[in-house]
Amino acid sequence: MSLPHAILTALLEKPSSGLELTRRFDKSIGYFWSSTHQQIYRELGRLEEAGLIRELPSEVPVRGQKKEYAVLPDGSAELARWVGESQDPKPLRDALLLRIRAAAVVGPGRLGPELRRHLGLHREQLAKYEAIEAKDFPPERDAVEDRLRRLVLHGGIALETFWLAWLEEALAEVEDMTPPEGTTAA
């Protein structure tokens, strides 16, 4: 997966300026493919140079006006090619998992509060996803593009559900091996 393909996807959904793309990433694509404002602007320049997108003409040229971009036929073809491409899953890199592994050699210390914090964060994210589903995907929205977007959202919901179950298990284990404060291990 790559930023250029995420941008092509977003622009095919709706021609946008760099600022609008950044805002849209924060509300949708950014949940599974994050990017900074600067990265998006750099990539827009590269995509334009490669002939995959173009700046839309503005109705009234004004200095400092936002540039809006749309995808060209070569950009659509590139995105279609990429959608059909084979790609292996990426290895998971998560600092919390590394901390737990490190705790195996230095002891659990204050791992419990961090696990509780992560539990809270994942509960919040799950609630956001469920709210998006309730608001944006009523059962009557059955078009192909809606079904595919809902499928991505269900992936996010499933991942958050997994993390909640796993974090609850991890917290129970850590609390079982950590003596209460004010006491020492036997």
Side-chain angles (χ1 to χ4, degrees):
M1 183 181 229
S2 68
L3 181 57
H5 297 103
I7 290 172
L8 288 171
T9 300
L11 288 175
L12 278 169
E13 291 173 343
K14 180 182 176 217
S16 304
S17 69
L19 181 59
E20 290 166 336
L21 279 172
T22 301
R23 289 179 180 150
R24 288 176 53 215
F25 265 62
D26 289 345
K27 293 180 183 175
S28 63
I29 292 174
Y31 286 123
F32 56 90
W33 190 261
S34 62
S35 183
T36 67
H37 188 73
Q38 292 83 8
Q39 290 170 320
I40 289 172
Y41 273 98
R42 271 194 308 271
E43 201 56 53
L44 284 169
R46 289 183 190 124
L47 289 168
E48 191 173 24
E49 274 182 28
L52 301 179
I53 65 171
R54 70 177 172 93
E55 181 183 343
L56 293 174
S58 66
E59 295 173 15
V60 181
V62 178
R63 186 179 169 156
Q65 181 176 336
K66 297 184 287 189
K67 292 180 183 181
E68 275 204 346
Y69 296 92
V71 178
L72 293 168
D74 284 352
S76 294
E78 166 55 23
L79 191 59
R81 181 206 61 76
W82 178 77
V83 166
E85 189 176 82
S86 177
Q87 185 174 7
D88 293 337
K90 298 286 184 203
L92 178 64
R93 291 180 62 182
D94 189 287
L96 181 62
L97 296 175
L98 184 56
R99 282 190 179 107
I100 293 170
R101 181 66 186 255
V105 292
V106 298
R110 298 209 14 94
L111 204 48
E114 184 64 358
L115 291 170
R116 275 190 288 285
R117 188 177 78 79
H118 277 258
L119 255 172
L121 294 171
H122 285 284
R123 283 186 184 121
E124 287 174 15
Q125 192 62 51
L126 179 59
K128 282 181 190 175
Y129 288 162
E130 289 171 339
I132 290 169
E133 183 173 35
K135 177 180 168 267
D136 295 342
F137 296 104
E140 63 273 10
R141 280 189 71 178
D142 202 24
V144 169
E145 58 270 14
D146 291 324
R147 291 172 64 190
L148 290 170
R149 289 178 185 132
R150 184 182 301 119
L151 189 59
V152 173
L153 181 60
H154 284 178
I157 290 170
L159 285 171
E160 293 306 325
T161 302
F162 158 78
W163 279 113
L164 288 172
W166 182 82
L167 283 162
E168 287 169 0
E169 175 189 353
L171 184 59
E173 285 286 333
V174 167
E175 286 177 342
D176 184 56
M177 63 183 77
T178 306
E181 287 198 30
T183 64
T184 58

